[in-house]
């Protein structure tokens, strides 16, 4: 055989071998020794947002503790949705086209976009609303398909936010639920419990949809036109991305607001009640690790948070002339002076 023919034959064998390796079942691919595993990460916020930096750092550190070293046997490909639905769709498509071994998707809207792009690449979701109601899992125990992960919210939290708002601002008689339909979990998940809590505490609850940053002030100003207006900021990458604007407008119009995550009171918001989003990225690292070792995502149970944290910003409460009840301060996991 001529040398040139031999080389061509070797090239063909190598090409077929590479293609065959990619055609192997996901578990078998993951167990190939010496191959750098690629983990895609799609965050709903801008990549430079402190929330993004904190959560991705937590994922990286947890993977390192599990024995993965970036540059040796692991590569992270991080993309951001910037709180914008169109950007999320583009980023999801680009990330799936990289054919990573696993993708970590943050938020309900991000997970929905990724799920539309692939039914084969394992997806580990974090920081999402009800996984079954959102259509990501057949059940919590056995989600099935290529998705599993960690939820942070359940429908009952809507009532908790209303109760917290009424407790910290007793004069509240109206509460607007702020969300962007393109980037938030479905508001219908929270309305029943919100309305039930409102009915029992004398608070009229209404949904307030916004579609852009320029619409935020109008919603908050409307709550301030008459005494007793309040705001509940729902889980939403748009809301997190624009939290400085929301917090500033709430302060300007002196509207008490309750948030779903500690990033808001950390930035000057009044109070928050919700799961620790960053901790879920640490937990997600374990699922990524198990999938890279051959586990099937559909057989890994969806996990709900076991701990919710209450954070109160006393400085903001004083600016709103709200005397925070001692019993509320006693329950708080963290008080910002």
């Amino acid at each position: 055989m001529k040398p040139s023919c031999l080389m061509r034959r070797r090239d063909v064998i190598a090409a077929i071998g590479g293609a065959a390796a990619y055609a192997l079942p996901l578990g078998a691919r993951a167990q190939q020794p010496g191959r750098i595993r690629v983990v895609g990460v799609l965050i709903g916020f801008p990549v430079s947002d402190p929330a993004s930096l904190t959560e991705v750092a937590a994922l990286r550190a947890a993977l390192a503790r599990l024995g993965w070293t970036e540059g040796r046997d692991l590569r992270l490909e991080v993309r951001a949705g910037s709180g914008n639905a169109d950007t999320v769709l583009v980023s999801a498509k680009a990330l799936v086209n990289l054919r990573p071994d696993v993708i970590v998707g943050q938020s309900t809207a991000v997970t929905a976009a990724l799920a539309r792009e692939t039914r084969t690449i394992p997806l580990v979701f974090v920081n999402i609303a009800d996984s079954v109601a959102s259509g990501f899992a057949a059940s919590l125990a056995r989600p099935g398909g290529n998705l599993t992960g960690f939820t942070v919210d359940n429908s009952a939290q809507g009532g908790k936010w209303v109760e917290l708002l009424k407790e910290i601002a007793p004069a509240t008689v109206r509460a607007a639920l702020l969300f962007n339909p393109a980037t938030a979990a479905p508001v219908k998940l929270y309305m029943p419990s919100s309305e039930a809590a409102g009915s029992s505490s004398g608070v009229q609850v209404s949904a307030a949809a916004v579609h852009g940053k320029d619409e935020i002030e109008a919603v908050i100003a409307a709550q301030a036109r008459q005494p007793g207006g309040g705001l509940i900021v729902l889980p939403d990458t748009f809301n997190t991305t624009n939290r400085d604007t929301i917090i500033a407008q709430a302060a300007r119009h002196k509207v008490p607001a309750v948030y779903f995550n500690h990033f808001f009171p950390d930035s000057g918001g009044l109070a928050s009640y919700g799961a620790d989003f960053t901790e879920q990225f640490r937990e997600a690292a374990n699922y990524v690790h198990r999938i890279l070792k051959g586990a099937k995502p559909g057989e890994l149970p969806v996990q709900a948070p076991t701990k919710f944290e209450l954070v109160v910003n006393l400085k903001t409460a004083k600016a709103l002339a709200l005397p925070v009840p001692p019993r509320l301060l006693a329950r708080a996991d963290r008080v910002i002076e």
Side-chain angles (χ1 to χ4, degrees):
M1 184 178 291
K2 294 180 180 179
S4 60
C5 292
L6 181 60
M7 289 299 294
R8 282 197 296 272
R9 185 184 177 194
R10 286 174 177 168
D11 292 342
V12 169
I13 291 172
I16 292 174
Y22 227 90
L24 288 171
L26 290 170
R29 274 177 48 203
Q31 295 176 47
Q32 293 180 79
R35 189 172 69 83
I36 293 181
R37 278 66 162 181
V38 179
V39 176
V41 182
L42 182 51
I43 301 288
F45 325 126
V47 72
S48 59
D49 189 292
S52 298
L53 297 174
T54 299
E55 292 174 348
V56 174
L59 178 69
R60 279 195 159 102
L63 286 170
R65 285 194 296 272
L66 290 166
W68 297 95
T69 302
E70 288 187 72
R72 185 190 70 190
D73 54 11
L74 181 73
R75 187 173 91 244
L76 254 62
E77 292 285 349
V78 181
R79 302 290 185 272
S82 300
N84 179 280
D86 292 335
T87 305
V88 167
L89 293 176
V90 171
S91 298
K93 185 180 289 290
L95 196 55
V96 168
N97 286 340
L98 291 177
R99 301 294 300 169
D101 296 278
V102 188
I103 299 177
V104 176
Q106 182 271 339
S107 84
T108 306
V110 164
T111 301
L114 289 167
R116 283 194 292 269
E117 293 297 327
T118 180
R119 294 180 180 274
T120 56
I121 299 174
L123 301 178
V124 178
F125 50 72
V126 291
N127 305 170
I128 73 159
D130 190 315
S131 59
V132 176
S134 297
F136 301 142
S139 70
L140 298 181
R142 292 185 67 85
N146 63 315
L147 288 83
T148 189
F150 302 83
T151 65
V152 290
D153 306 306
N154 56 52
S155 57
Q157 275 196 266
K160 297 293 186 183
W161 294 320
V162 173
E163 292 169 0
L164 175 59
L165 179 60
K166 185 69 173 179
E167 187 174 8
I168 200 168
T172 302
V173 294
R174 301 182 321 281
L177 276 56
L178 183 70
F179 71 105
N180 184 327
T183 55
V187 69
K188 66 181 181 181
L189 293 176
Y190 307 109
M191 286 304 291
S193 64
S194 297
E195 291 174 335
S199 178
S200 64
S201 60
V203 178
Q204 182 181 359
V205 176
S206 61
V210 295
H211 302 86
K213 184 178 180 179
D214 57 338
E215 298 179 16
I216 292 173
E217 182 180 5
V219 170
I220 297 175
Q223 291 301 102
R225 288 195 186 104
Q226 295 180 353
L231 187 71
I232 295 173
V233 179
L234 293 183
D236 185 346
T237 54
F238 171 86
N239 284 342
T240 302
T241 300
N242 293 287
R243 62 185 177 277
D244 289 342
T245 297
I246 296 170
I247 292 167
Q249 291 300 328
R252 176 188 173 191
H253 293 282
K254 296 191 179 301
V255 172
V258 164
Y259 305 91
F260 64 94
N261 186 266
H262 70 83
F263 288 121
F264 289 83
D266 286 346
S267 300
L270 177 59
S272 68
Y273 177 77
D276 186 342
F277 281 28
T278 305
E279 178 59 29
Q280 290 216 324
F281 274 80
R282 298 186 186 98
E283 295 170 341
N286 184 54
Y287 268 15
V288 170
H289 171 74
R290 291 172 66 177
I291 290 169
L292 291 177
K293 293 296 185 181
K296 296 178 180 179
E299 297 177 357
L300 298 175
V302 174
Q303 297 189 40
T306 56
K307 181 179 182 296
F308 292 84
E309 59 177 358
L310 171 62
V311 180
V312 177
N313 190 315
L314 273 184
K315 182 179 179 181
T316 301
K318 290 176 183 177
L320 293 170
L322 296 174
V324 182
R327 63 181 180 276
L328 180 58
L329 291 176
R331 295 201 320 269
D333 297 278
R334 188 155 53 90
V335 175
I336 300 171
E337 301 281 353

